[in-house]
Amino acid sequence: MRRPSRVRPARRLLLRLVGIACLTGSLASLSACSTAARPDRAAASQPSLPEFVVRAALVLPLGCEPPTNAEAAYGRLILDIQDFFAAELDRQGHGARRFSIERRNASQHPKLHIVHSDLDRTELAAGTARQHHDRLISEAIQAGLTVDRPGQAWLILAESSGQTEDGSLSGIVALGIRGRRDGNENNGVAVRTGPVLQVVGQNALDDHSVVLDRVWPVLGPHEVRSDSFPWFAHGTRSGIASSIIGSTAHELGHAFGLLHTYANDGLWRHRNLGPGAAVHYGTLMGNGFRAWRSWREAGAFSSPASPEYLRLAPASADLLALSPFFGGSDTSFDPTPPVIAAPPETRIDEGTWSLTVHATASDPESGIALAQLYSGRETVASMSFPERPARAELTFETARIPMPRPGIRNTGWQLRIFNGSFHEQAVPLAVTLPAGFTPGARIDLILPEATATVSEPVAMWARRRGPLEHGAPTEFRWDMGDGTRLAGERVEHAYSIPGVYKIALTAEFADGRTANAMDRIRIVER
């Protein structure tokens, strides 16, 4: 097995010279890969680590060396991600909980394991994105890294991508999963290829210069064209870096057990913003991760017409607050998952085109703590039980029903139920859409200021998304969470007492359909 370190043994393998380029940390140019040996596959002793820790590795193709100051760049990256999760959990009333990071004993700096592969970049990236993903994990495991050990979430970065002549990146993989194999719920793996550490190392989030029609050596030797990156990247260094770094945090969220949540999540191009520009706001586990730079510089890229901000959806925050990676539970207290008494009942209301799900769950040991409804594409509803009842009646109703679309993967509806020890029972649901079904419009709750002070008016508004045939909403109803009810597409409200408030928005359409959205706001003393 390979030792996951920079130290190479005296006995070396016969090297192959490679002619491909790898992404280095150089600011001046994209240098060719240097030749390097793959360490012997001798078994490496693994340090004894506390449970529920995030560890990281960088997989290097044959002949490649790590980017300049790779471990320091990883440290900035993982601490920034840690700060985001802590701030969002705190904003939503769960306290500033932080996941633990593996650190070097002497310096206490976040530790990055280096894996030297026998495969070149082309070999590592061959096949589908999933095959690329699996190959990188296999390389890490062969190096002796404890990727499947309970209590560990691994972030695996890799230099196995490249830049094509049209300026775009190839070999990009961004995937994350909890409980990768053997039914182990208490570990996870996130994989992100591409120049993650390079853009962090150059502080690209702070560089808003336009990079279109220019060479950015961090990405490769070719000019970046207007179609080299999706239009939401803005064509600036900070916009491209925002998408790269935000997606790394997004995949790590999957490793913690989060599924996609597109609540209050918009991604669209505004005609007044010019070519390559976009508006994006929303949740980390939706499309909002592309606004990571807005987390770093709150309000710097926003206007009332084009908000840009990043949130953790309430459903995601509630799940992480229960996760042992954030100190919310003890998985050893109750090793068994909850029990579902009978197959859940599902019903489609053809008048409102909404879905109702009812189930009964029980767990006499640690109680029912959280239930979430997943549509196959996104978490559409969440229900927390702070009192942890031994038995809970669960009823969900939602109009967020996705239509099957070519090329879009839909894994099917499921009910996710967690007990107080964070063990999950995921139950597939039998949902049959009636003939002629069309999904209803969506409504976003735009809340640029997620934290405000007592007596400070807070502005928020609704934004419609979805099929145009349903027309514009005829009525907007707001529940501000403190007993106040408001109406209108745009509202302002001032809270008189500090605390965390749930804001609920309902939009009604002329055909009788409704759309709902919610968010939380934290009010603090002046």
Side-chain angles (χ1 to χ4, degrees):
M1 300 177 72
R2 290 165 293 170
R3 289 190 292 245
S5 69
R6 301 174 190 265
V7 180
R8 302 187 180 108
R11 183 171 63 83
R12 299 185 180 274
L13 299 171
L14 180 64
L15 296 179
R16 288 176 294 153
L17 296 179
V18 293
I20 61 170
C22 69
L23 295 174
T24 72
S26 171
L27 301 182
S29 65
L30 189 78
S31 64
C33 294
S34 61
T35 58
R38 176 179 180 134
D40 291 334
R41 297 177 182 271
S45 60
Q46 293 297 330
S48 176
L49 291 172
E51 287 192 338
F52 301 108
V53 63
V54 172
R55 306 179 74 185
L58 175 64
V59 179
L60 298 171
L62 179 69
C64 288
E65 290 296 328
T68 304
N69 299 320
E71 188 165 80
Y74 163 69
R76 288 194 292 274
L77 170 73
I78 199 65
L79 292 174
D80 198 23
I81 294 173
Q82 185 191 54
D83 286 346
F84 170 80
F85 280 117
E88 280 296 288
L89 285 169
D90 191 35
R91 178 181 71 82
Q92 301 203 42
H94 298 297
R97 303 186 182 195
R98 296 176 180 272
F99 59 81
S100 296
I101 302 168
E102 182 186 15
R103 298 174 184 268
R104 295 199 173 275
N105 291 334
S107 65
Q108 286 300 298
H109 292 155
K111 181 177 181 178
L112 178 67
H113 297 262
I114 303 297
V115 175
H116 291 275
S117 174
D118 277 344
L119 304 177
D120 63 31
R121 190 201 69 81
T122 302
E123 292 169 329
L124 279 175
T128 65
R130 186 56 187 261
Q131 289 171 328
H132 186 180
H133 164 275
D134 292 346
R135 193 173 295 115
L136 293 173
I137 292 178
S138 178
E139 290 291 296
I141 292 174
Q142 290 182 64
L145 302 184
T146 54
V147 172
D148 289 322
R149 179 174 293 179
Q152 296 184 10
W154 278 88
L155 173 60
I156 297 180
L157 307 173
E159 298 290 292
S160 49
S161 65
Q163 190 186 30
T164 60
E165 290 186 0
D166 68 0
S168 60
L169 296 183
S170 63
I172 296 299
V173 174
L175 292 171
I177 188 171
R178 174 187 179 222
R180 193 176 70 89
R181 65 183 186 185
D182 300 329
N184 179 14
E185 300 173 310
N186 300 321
N187 67 359
V189 184
V191 172
R192 182 58 165 94
T193 65
V196 178
L197 298 181
Q198 288 88 340
V199 298
V200 174
Q202 289 199 34
N203 295 315
L205 285 175
D206 301 320
D207 184 350
H208 311 311
S209 60
V210 175
V211 73
L212 295 181
D213 300 321
R214 303 173 190 175
V215 174
W216 188 11
V218 157
L219 302 181
H222 305 291
E223 289 186 352
V224 179
R225 304 297 182 186
S226 60
D227 56 354
S228 297
F229 290 86
W231 50 264
F232 51 70
H234 291 263
T236 63
R237 292 191 179 193
S238 66
I240 295 171
S242 186
S243 184
I244 291 173
I245 297 171
S247 67
T248 305
H250 174 108
E251 302 309 332
L252 189 58
H254 283 312
F256 291 138
L258 298 179
L259 299 181
H260 287 139
T261 303
Y262 294 93
N264 304 325
D265 196 285
L267 176 64
W268 52 284
R269 191 195 329 243
H270 194 280
R271 64 181 181 276
N272 295 327
L273 296 178
V279 172
H280 43 237
Y281 58 85
T283 64
L284 178 71
M285 302 313 295
N287 288 311
F289 66 80
R290 295 170 178 131
W292 188 264
R293 65 180 187 172
S294 297
W295 145 246
R296 295 283 303 272
E297 294 186 58
F301 312 99
S302 285
S303 70
S306 57
E308 179 174 315
Y309 59 81
L310 180 63
R311 303 275 191 270
L312 194 61
S316 299
D318 293 346
L319 189 148
L320 289 186
L322 183 65
S323 166
F325 282 98
F326 291 81
S329 56
D330 179 358
T331 59
S332 64
F333 172 70
D334 176 9
T336 59
V339 174
I340 308 299
E345 302 172 4
T346 62
R347 180 175 59 86
I348 294 283
D349 186 324
E350 297 191 30
T352 60
W353 299 109
S354 62
L355 168 68
T356 300
V357 177
H358 179 77
T360 302
S362 62
D363 193 303
E365 288 79 23
S366 57
I368 303 300
L370 180 69
Q372 296 191 332
L373 183 62
Y374 181 66
S375 72
R377 292 192 198 142
E378 62 171 325
T379 302
V380 298
S382 182
M383 187 184 305
S384 296
F385 298 89
E387 71 281 5
R388 309 281 172 88
R391 178 184 173 89
E393 297 290 329
L394 310 172
T395 300
F396 289 102
E397 183 176 357
T398 181
R400 294 178 70 93
I401 303 177
M403 281 289 289
R405 287 188 290 167
I408 303 295
R409 183 172 178 236
N410 190 328
T411 58
W413 287 85
Q414 62 177 255
L415 185 62
R416 306 179 72 197
I417 302 175
F418 297 83
N419 65 12
S421 290
F422 202 62
H423 293 298
E424 176 186 0
Q425 185 71 264
V427 184
L429 302 177
V431 178
T432 302
L433 300 180
F437 172 83
T438 57
R442 302 291 180 88
I443 201 76
D444 287 351
L445 193 165
I446 308 298
L447 182 63
E449 297 179 72
T451 301
T453 58
V454 169
S455 301
E456 172 190 350
V458 181
M460 58 197 78
W461 61 95
R463 178 166 285 162
R464 180 200 179 287
R465 290 190 291 129
L468 297 177
E469 59 264 26
H470 301 301
T474 58
E475 184 179 359
F476 297 92
R477 299 187 296 272
W478 299 77
D479 181 342
M480 309 310 294
D482 62 350
T484 303
R485 303 288 191 272
L486 299 174
E489 186 173 357
R490 291 176 174 266
V491 298
E492 278 194 359
H493 183 60
Y495 292 86
S496 59
I497 301 175
V500 176
Y501 296 90
K502 174 184 174 182
I503 303 171
L505 166 65
T506 299
E508 186 171 317
F509 294 82
D511 62 1
R513 301 192 192 203
T514 60
N516 301 293
M518 67 86 66
D519 207 336
R520 292 180 182 137
I521 186 169
R522 184 180 184 187
I523 305 300
V524 298
E525 294 280 10
R526 287 185 180 276

